[in-house]
Amino acid sequence: MQGQQQQQAYDRGITIFSPDGRLYQVEYAREAVKRGTASIGIRTEGGVVLAVDKRIPSPLLEDSSVEKIHKADDHVGIASAGHVADARQLIDFARRQAQVNQLRYGEPIGVETLTKEVTDHIQQYTQVGGARPFGVALIVGGIENGEPRLFETDPSGTPYEWKALAVGAERGDLQTFLEDNYDEAADLDGGIALALDALASVNEGSLLPEEVGLATVDAETESFEQFDDDQIEEYLVENELLDEGDDEDESEDDE
Amino acid sequence: MQGQQQQQAYDRGITIFSPDGRLYQVEYAREAVKRGTASIGIRTEGGVVLAVDKRIPSPLLEDSSVEKIHKADDHVGIASAGHVADARQLIDFARRQAQVNQLRYGEPIGVETLTKEVTDHIQQYTQVGGARPFGVALIVGGIENGEPRLFETDPSGTPYEWKALAVGAERGDLQTFLEDNYDEAADLDGGIALALDALASVNEGSLLPEEVGLATVDAETESFEQFDDDQIEEYLVENELLDEGDDEDESEDDE
Amino acid sequence: MQGQQQQQAYDRGITIFSPDGRLYQVEYAREAVKRGTASIGIRTEGGVVLAVDKRIPSPLLEDSSVEKIHKADDHVGIASAGHVADARQLIDFARRQAQVNQLRYGEPIGVETLTKEVTDHIQQYTQVGGARPFGVALIVGGIENGEPRLFETDPSGTPYEWKALAVGAERGDLQTFLEDNYDEAADLDGGIALALDALASVNEGSLLPEEVGLATVDAETESFEQFDDDQIEEYLVENELLDEGDDEDESEDDE
Amino acid sequence: MQGQQQQQAYDRGITIFSPDGRLYQVEYAREAVKRGTASIGIRTEGGVVLAVDKRIPSPLLEDSSVEKIHKADDHVGIASAGHVADARQLIDFARRQAQVNQLRYGEPIGVETLTKEVTDHIQQYTQVGGARPFGVALIVGGIENGEPRLFETDPSGTPYEWKALAVGAERGDLQTFLEDNYDEAADLDGGIALALDALASVNEGSLLPEEVGLATVDAETESFEQFDDDQIEEYLVENELLDEGDDEDESEDDE
Amino acid sequence: MQGQQQQQAYDRGITIFSPDGRLYQVEYAREAVKRGTASIGIRTEGGVVLAVDKRIPSPLLEDSSVEKIHKADDHVGIASAGHVADARQLIDFARRQAQVNQLRYGEPIGVETLTKEVTDHIQQYTQVGGARPFGVALIVGGIENGEPRLFETDPSGTPYEWKALAVGAERGDLQTFLEDNYDEAADLDGGIALALDALASVNEGSLLPEEVGLATVDAETESFEQFDDDQIEEYLVENELLDEGDDEDESEDDE
Amino acid sequence: MQGQQQQQAYDRGITIFSPDGRLYQVEYAREAVKRGTASIGIRTEGGVVLAVDKRIPSPLLEDSSVEKIHKADDHVGIASAGHVADARQLIDFARRQAQVNQLRYGEPIGVETLTKEVTDHIQQYTQVGGARPFGVALIVGGIENGEPRLFETDPSGTPYEWKALAVGAERGDLQTFLEDNYDEAADLDGGIALALDALASVNEGSLLPEEVGLATVDAETESFEQFDDDQIEEYLVENELLDEGDDEDESEDDE
Amino acid sequence: MQGQQQQQAYDRGITIFSPDGRLYQVEYAREAVKRGTASIGIRTEGGVVLAVDKRIPSPLLEDSSVEKIHKADDHVGIASAGHVADARQLIDFARRQAQVNQLRYGEPIGVETLTKEVTDHIQQYTQVGGARPFGVALIVGGIENGEPRLFETDPSGTPYEWKALAVGAERGDLQTFLEDNYDEAADLDGGIALALDALASVNEGSLLPEEVGLATVDAETESFEQFDDDQIEEYLVENELLDEGDDEDESEDDE
């Protein structure tokens, strides 16, 4: 109780530190990320895999409209976890940066450069008053000079580079799963299999195609590809992860 | 009581998160949506149906002035639930976006594009200080490349695509009704019948023409059409939903 | 008491919603409207009638200076209830809109268009911080394409179209009186009679000319006409509503 | 006590209404007006009279510097009550409006027009944040189209037209005195006599010339004239109101 | 205690009135004036006298740097009491106004005009938020059209004209002394004698030259003259007011 | 408890001093620095050494992405401790300053000049409202006129020049270690050895290459060089500081 | 306790006065000055002496980087006490003013003019909101028209001229020492001796060269000269003030 009062004295503005040097509003924004369903990124030798868990609250909702994976540029995809509308702002920002880079320098933006432009933008919202931090974490994956790269942006505006990571709900269990099962030598299909395995591990072992989002950026073609429900179903069957329960009548959606 | 005090510490500004990562002002704006009468959107193969419940507080009020369905462009209609004056702002915003698109690119704006421009606008009011969120949800329905599309915008600024949805008062009951009765193969008349059935289901089984708003966007003609009380009465009679009680002397209003 | 404290937590800023989705400052602005004396608008086939109740606190006050009816354009009149100085701001705004429309399009502004420009202006004061809402309701009456139109603007920025309405003090009783006595077939004189009858009904059955304001917009001539005390007295005599008590020495005022 | 706490919740900002629709800061500004000594305006057929009560706290203070009557234009005078420095701001504003009108239209500004420009300016300070309301009431008197006109501006920004009025300390007693003794047929001298009588009525029946300010705007000449202590003394003698006590050695001041 | 709480509710912002119509921050600024040592102004037929009390906290402080009398223009001097740094701001403002007037109109600024430009500037700081009032009172003395004029500016922004006045510490005693001893027929030397007498009356009857500031604006020459310690010592000897105690080794300072 | 309340009264804004003249928000920002892992700078005759401790929370995290050492210009490196995203802002600022200097004056920016431009920037965030201080300390090392220079910037915006220093976690122990072991005559390799010794002294005597960052600016070449894990491992082996435990499979990362 | 609460009501903003007319934030800024080590200024016939006490928290800190004496222009030096980063801001401001003066008028800025430009700048931070006052006092010494001048700026923005003064820690004891020992006839060497004597008087009678800063502005050459540790050591030996204890290995630093 005393501790709560103590905390409440410092957590209502982004422009103040607490006595122990913490930024509570940024920490609360991290809680907003945890409220979102999980997103996973995996780097393989053959490219980058992005996979997301989607909750479909009603069978009448188009599952394709629960957007958690976005194409930022031909060679870069972004998965998000947390506040959906905030994610859209950051993805629009990333797309504009990619376009500006192409226009200015005549070449695709580097994945690391793009990530850091996004994190610098996020940091501003943690230091200057008049707005709240972004309640979202992004996984930015793409190909740079032929090499797959995989980054995370967190609500403080810090960039991290990963071999494989999870953000959002159940991050702890998912990250442990990835650490236990990550194989540096895997190809893109191996990465997809690991991603779906991981998602299934926190969904009672099986998945519905319409409740999964999946995309890759291939190191060869350097191009972003998002899979539809049929393709996802194939991968699920292949990996023996398909949930064969009801609700399947929604699976022919496309966009 | 303790919980209330806890909540009150974080719910008085849009620029702060609560310790569990929630944005209370956005959640309260959703309550403003629930205070409004219900609006329904239904996507059929033949086009999109918008139907709304209107409360007429006095027989002297022109029911046509209780505006809940608006034409955003020739091929797009918008129904709203919640704070009426806020809805007008967003609809004006949507109309301007549609005009700008027509001027810039010489073609009608896509329904999805239009929806996302509106939700990006809404999101700004949930992150930057100095204003409150919009207390309104919109149903955006229209034809894009010959295909009917149906979207929702919520007060957080998240876009959703639906086959059929309800917003506003009694959303829960109405959404269940739609889930139980939605038929993907229905034509436009089938969609109208379902919409009126749904509204009647929460109004003791029958409706007065002047307390209903109805509009369609036809997939063939790609044009928005709003129905007057006489036309609505026909549909009600056809579907055996007409309330044959008093107050009928108001039914010849038009606009 | 608990309820009061609850309410006080959310009612001191226009930029926040209460937990149940209400905007208390807008509701308090409606109370400011109720503190004003009553204003009445009546639409007849022959045109629109505006009538107002005026409290003259001192016999030395020029009753003509208690301005509650204003000419917005040749074909539009506006009656107000509530905070007088706020009303003046909105009426100036309306006049400027009417002039701009005339200059831009070479034709008189539509009554509905004018009303909605005013309500959009009002809405801004309910969403963006740094100012309070307008504590006033307006009745906007005029002729559009030869048809009489009658609108209300409320402090939330919502426009309503009416056949007949009252705003301000005793709105409840007056609206009931209008509902009981409104005759769609009445001509302009019938409208005047109804308006004066209504005002008298909440003033012990009779009225003093100097405590009434009266104006019409005639559907034929499409022009706004405000009546002086002598003309009002004639109407009162005609309708057997003249208060024949003292204070009559003020009745020769004009402006 | 309960009531006080209730009130204190709403009275510390001009941008909020109280639950009963009041603007406390405007009401407190009216209290600032009552803290000022009385000012009186009287309209006669021959012109307008302005008379003020002046408290001279020290015999060394130049009574001419206690400015409560000001010339706004050749044909308009203004008397004030309340916060002196605020009054100066409004009078400067009024003078600039008068000059602008003369420059733009080549003719003197109307008294009513001038008053309403001042009240619109005052209203802004009651609605938009970042400043407090003006703590002053003005009496604006002048000649318009040959006719004497007399207006009041109050801290809410409402204009009133009067035959005769008092503002400031003891407004109640003075207004009653004016109501009892006002004669519509009086000429300018009659107006001066009534004004001095009224002031004397709240000063034990007699006045010192240096504690009175007096000015007229003559309907014939349409020009503002302010009287010096000798002229005021003559009027006091004439009307048997001269205080023949001590302190007379200050009476030869001029400016 | 109750009263204190009451007061504290309204005294922390310049943009609010208290329920009894007071501006507490302006009243507190007047307290800042009283915290400063006394300043005196005296108008004589021969010109204006400014005299000030200076506290020298250390013998190593240059008494000439305790600036309380300033030349605003050739024909105008200003003495201050209260917050020294605030006084410097207002005096710089006054000097700029004097220069601008000279440039625009080719003639020296009037003493009354200059004073009112300063008080209008002060008033702004009492009405518009974002700054505090000036904690200083000025005595502005000079020659206008050959006539000596003497004004006061107070923290509310009100101008007063005086024959003789004191501001700052012990204003009450000093003002009474001036009222008792002021002689309208005195010449400049008489004015100097009265000013020094007054200062001595609150300093145990005698003064040290370095603890007094003295200046005049002569009606003949229309020019400001500030006296050094030697000249002040002569006046003190002449008027039998010289403190012949220790500390005399500081008396040869000049600037 | 009393002390805490006292403190809480003054620590929630950067624009206020506490009664004892402290800026609590700046002191809390220093706590944010202590929350970061340690960074060390050492000046030798042969150049400057920067070494940092890195915590790798997961084996899947690319240790190269935990950026704590940055190249600011060819001849200047910067190590940081504290809030990572804040550090990135300051380093971007420093880089821009270095570029501007090169463009304007055609020569590399001085290390002292660069440091002071950064500290001036930091100071602004401690005095002007609307933002929080930077929660980071930087060690700026480089070559100026052939001489190695080593500076610290702290959250108050004060620059310090050091022979050797530590910032971040365990600053106290590390600084004592440096004071006890610093040798002014050491060369660059000696500096590297001291830096790694110091880091090992607070890590149980040994280090993993991937948990150390290391860079130098050589006085001869005047160029910044950052070492990869293999090079760091060599230095660790050479100095008998290599942790030969598990986790070595991460050691082949580079960037 | 009651007093504390009283005080806390008014000390948290620079834009409010306390009921007794004090500006608490300015008083707290004076406490920030007292937290800094002492600085001394002495005016002699031969020029101005600036001397400062420096605390060196670690033997690895370059004592030359603890900057407390600065060259503002060729003929002006400034010593500071208090918040170091604030001092840098004011000194940069002073340097710019000196440069601007040289550019505009082709001659060096006067010492008094320079001081007052700085104090006017400081005053702004005590009246206008959005920033805190400067927590620093400056001693400005230089030559103007061949004469040595010595000024102080305090956090309120008041300028003072001194023969000799101390600011910062132990100001009381130091000022008494100066008052007891100041000799108006001393030359520059005499001034240096007095300054070092004073500093030693509060440091147990002796000083270390690296813990003292010393500079002069010579009246003959009109140029600022700062002394290095060797020169300071000579002065200390000459005046029998050298601390012959340990720590001497730091004494060969220079800059």
Side-chain angles (χ1 to χ4, degrees), chain C:
Chain C
M1 188 51 201
Q2 174 64 19
Q4 264 188 353
Q5 289 186 350
Q6 183 76 357
Q7 183 168 331
Q8 290 190 13
Y10 303 100
D11 64 1
R12 270 169 265 177
I14 63 162
T15 62
I16 56 172
F17 281 104
S18 71
D20 55 350
R22 295 164 69 187
L23 296 170
Y24 279 113
Q25 274 298 309
V26 170
E27 299 189 7
Y28 296 173
R30 289 202 182 101
E31 291 303 311
V33 174
K34 289 190 198 151
R35 294 177 76 87
T37 52
S39 290
I40 287 175
I42 290 170
R43 191 182 78 191
T44 71
E45 303 229 325
V48 172
V49 178
L50 302 174
V52 299
D53 198 352
K54 304 196 295 188
R55 278 181 210 137
I56 309 298
S58 159
L60 295 176
L61 184 67
E62 287 286 357
D63 70 86
S64 65
S65 81
V66 180
E67 287 182 305
K68 293 191 55 191
I69 299 183
H70 309 257
K71 177 177 169 180
D73 202 348
D74 284 344
H75 64 303
V76 186
I78 299 182
S80 65
H83 198 65
V84 177
D86 285 12
R88 282 190 48 76
Q89 295 297 316
L90 289 182
I91 283 148
D92 283 355
F93 178 83
R95 283 175 182 156
R96 282 194 302 274
Q97 298 305 311
Q99 286 169 1
V100 164
N101 196 86
Q102 184 68 51
L103 282 169
R104 267 201 206 139
Y105 308 109
E107 57 182 36
I109 196 166
V111 184
E112 185 170 358
T113 301
L114 179 61
T115 302
K116 291 184 177 175
E117 285 181 354
V118 172
T119 53
D120 286 350
H121 186 64
I122 293 170
Q123 191 272 350
Q124 289 295 304
Y125 284 75
T126 74
Q127 187 171 24
V128 183
R132 59 170 174 77
F134 286 93
V136 71
L138 302 184
I139 301 175
V140 184
I143 310 300
E144 182 167 353
N145 300 324
E147 290 299 315
R149 305 291 297 273
L150 182 69
F151 289 90
E152 176 195 4
T153 75
D154 88 337
S156 79
T158 308
Y160 298 99
E161 184 165 13
W162 293 89
K163 290 168 183 160
L165 86 156
V167 294
E170 297 165 299
R171 176 179 188 150
D173 290 350
L174 286 166
Q175 194 68 25
T176 303
F177 187 95
L178 293 174
E179 289 174 14
D180 292 347
N181 295 281
Y182 183 73
D183 172 10
E184 299 226 18
D187 61 4
L188 210 41
D189 275 350
I192 290 172
L194 175 58
L196 296 177
D197 258 353
L199 285 182
S201 77
V202 295
N203 278 285
E204 300 178 8
S206 67
L207 297 164
L208 285 170
E210 66 271 21
E211 294 189 350
V212 174
L214 185 65
T216 56
V217 193
D218 189 302
E220 289 291 315
T221 62
E222 302 205 355
S223 64
F224 173 83
E225 188 184 5
Q226 187 150 7
F227 299 95
D228 64 21
D229 287 1
D230 292 345
Q231 293 170 302
I232 292 169
E233 186 165 359
E234 274 180 54
Y235 280 115
L236 290 177
V237 170
E238 212 168 284
N239 290 284
E240 296 180 2
L241 296 167
L242 186 66
D243 178 349
E244 313 215 22
D246 47 45
D247 275 315
E248 285 182 32
D249 48 334
E250 313 307 327
S251 64
E252 68 273 33
D253 297 339
D254 61 352
E255 184 183 9

Side-chain angles (χ1 to χ4, degrees), chain D residues 59-135:
Chain D
L60 295 177
L61 184 67
E62 287 286 359
D63 70 86
S64 65
S65 81
V66 181
E67 287 182 306
K68 294 191 56 190
I69 300 183
H70 309 256
K71 177 177 169 179
D73 202 347
D74 284 345
H75 64 304
V76 185
I78 299 181
S80 65
H83 198 64
V84 177
D86 285 12
R88 282 190 48 77
Q89 295 296 317
L90 289 181
I91 283 148
D92 282 356
F93 178 84
R95 283 175 181 156
R96 283 194 302 274
Q97 297 305 311
Q99 286 168 1
V100 164
N101 196 85
Q102 185 68 50
L103 282 169
R104 267 201 206 138
Y105 307 109
E107 57 182 35
I109 196 166
V111 184
E112 185 170 357
T113 300
L114 179 60
T115 301
K116 291 184 176 175
E117 286 181 352
V118 172
T119 53
D120 286 351
H121 185 65
I122 292 171
Q123 192 272 350
Q124 290 295 303
Y125 283 75
T126 74
Q127 187 171 24
V128 183
R132 58 170 174 78
F134 286 94

Side-chain angles (χ1 to χ4, degrees), chain B residues 139-207:
Chain B
I139 301 176
V140 184
I143 310 301
E144 183 167 352
N145 300 323
E147 292 298 315
R149 305 290 298 272
L150 183 68
F151 289 91
E152 176 196 4
T153 75
D154 88 337
S156 79
T158 308
Y160 298 100
E161 184 164 14
W162 293 89
K163 291 168 183 159
L165 86 155
V167 295
E170 297 166 299
R171 177 181 188 150
D173 290 349
L174 286 166
Q175 194 68 24
T176 302
F177 187 95
L178 293 175
E179 289 174 13
D180 292 345
N181 296 282
Y182 184 73
D183 171 10
E184 299 226 16
D187 61 3
L188 211 42
D189 275 350
I192 290 172
L194 174 59
L196 297 177
D197 258 352
L199 286 182
S201 77
V202 295
N203 278 285
E204 300 178 8
S206 66
L207 297 164

Side-chain angles (χ1 to χ4, degrees), chain A residues 135-148:
Chain A
V136 72
L138 301 184
I139 301 176
V140 184
I143 310 300
E144 183 167 351
N145 300 324
E147 291 298 315

Side-chain angles (χ1 to χ4, degrees), chain G:
Chain G
M1 187 53 201
Q2 173 63 20
Q4 264 188 354
Q5 289 186 348
Q6 182 75 359
Q7 183 168 331
Q8 289 190 13
Y10 303 101
D11 64 2
R12 270 169 266 176
I14 64 162
T15 62
I16 57 171
F17 282 103
S18 71
D20 55 349
R22 294 165 70 187
L23 295 170
Y24 280 113
Q25 273 298 309
V26 170
E27 299 190 6
Y28 295 172
R30 287 201 183 103
E31 292 302 310
V33 174
K34 289 189 197 151
R35 294 176 76 86
T37 53
S39 290
I40 287 176
I42 291 170
R43 191 181 79 191
T44 71
E45 302 229 325
V48 172
V49 179
L50 302 174
V52 299
D53 198 353
K54 304 197 296 190
R55 278 181 211 137
I56 309 298
S58 158
L60 294 177
L61 184 67
E62 288 286 358
D63 69 86
S64 64
S65 82
V66 181
E67 289 182 304
K68 295 192 52 190
I69 301 184
H70 309 255
K71 177 176 168 181
D73 203 347
D74 285 343
H75 64 303
V76 185
I78 299 181
S80 64
H83 198 64
V84 176
D86 285 13
R88 282 190 49 77
Q89 296 296 317
L90 290 181
I91 282 149
D92 282 355
F93 178 83
R95 283 176 180 154
R96 284 194 302 275
Q97 297 305 311
Q99 286 169 1
V100 164
N101 196 87
Q102 184 69 49
L103 283 169
R104 266 201 206 139
Y105 308 111
E107 57 182 37
I109 195 167
V111 184
E112 185 170 357
T113 301
L114 179 60
T115 302
K116 290 184 177 174
E117 287 182 353
V118 172
T119 53
D120 286 351
H121 186 65
I122 293 171
Q123 192 272 349
Q124 290 295 303
Y125 283 76
T126 74
Q127 186 171 25
V128 183
R132 58 170 174 77
F134 285 94
V136 72
L138 302 183
I139 301 175
V140 184
I143 310 300
E144 183 166 352
N145 300 325
E147 291 299 316
R149 306 289 298 272
L150 184 68
F151 289 90
E152 176 196 4
T153 74
D154 88 336
S156 79
T158 309
Y160 297 100
E161 186 166 13
W162 293 90
K163 291 168 181 158
L165 85 154
V167 294
E170 295 165 301
R171 176 180 189 151
D173 290 349
L174 286 166
Q175 194 67 25
T176 302
F177 187 95
L178 293 175
E179 289 174 12
D180 291 349
N181 295 281
Y182 183 73
D183 172 10
E184 300 226 16
D187 61 4
L188 210 42
D189 275 350
I192 290 171
L194 175 58
L196 296 177
D197 258 353
L199 286 181
S201 76
V202 296
N203 278 284
E204 299 178 11
S206 66
L207 297 165
L208 284 170
E210 65 271 21
E211 297 190 348
V212 174
L214 185 66
T216 56
V217 192
D218 189 303
E220 288 292 315
T221 62
E222 302 204 356
S223 65
F224 174 82
E225 187 183 5
Q226 187 150 7
F227 299 96
D228 64 23
D229 287 1
D230 292 344
Q231 293 169 304
I232 292 170
E233 186 165 358
E234 273 179 55
Y235 280 115
L236 290 177
V237 169
E238 213 169 283
N239 291 284
E240 297 180 0
L241 295 167
L242 186 65
D243 178 350
E244 313 212 24
D246 47 46
D247 274 316
E248 287 181 34
D249 50 333
E250 313 306 327
S251 63
E252 66 274 33
D253 298 338
D254 61 351
E255 185 182 7

Side-chain angles (χ1 to χ4, degrees), chain E residues 15-31:
Chain E
T15 61
I16 56 170
F17 282 103
S18 72
D20 55 349
R22 295 165 69 186
L23 295 170
Y24 279 114
Q25 274 298 308
V26 170
E27 299 190 6
Y28 295 173
R30 288 201 182 102
E31 292 303 310

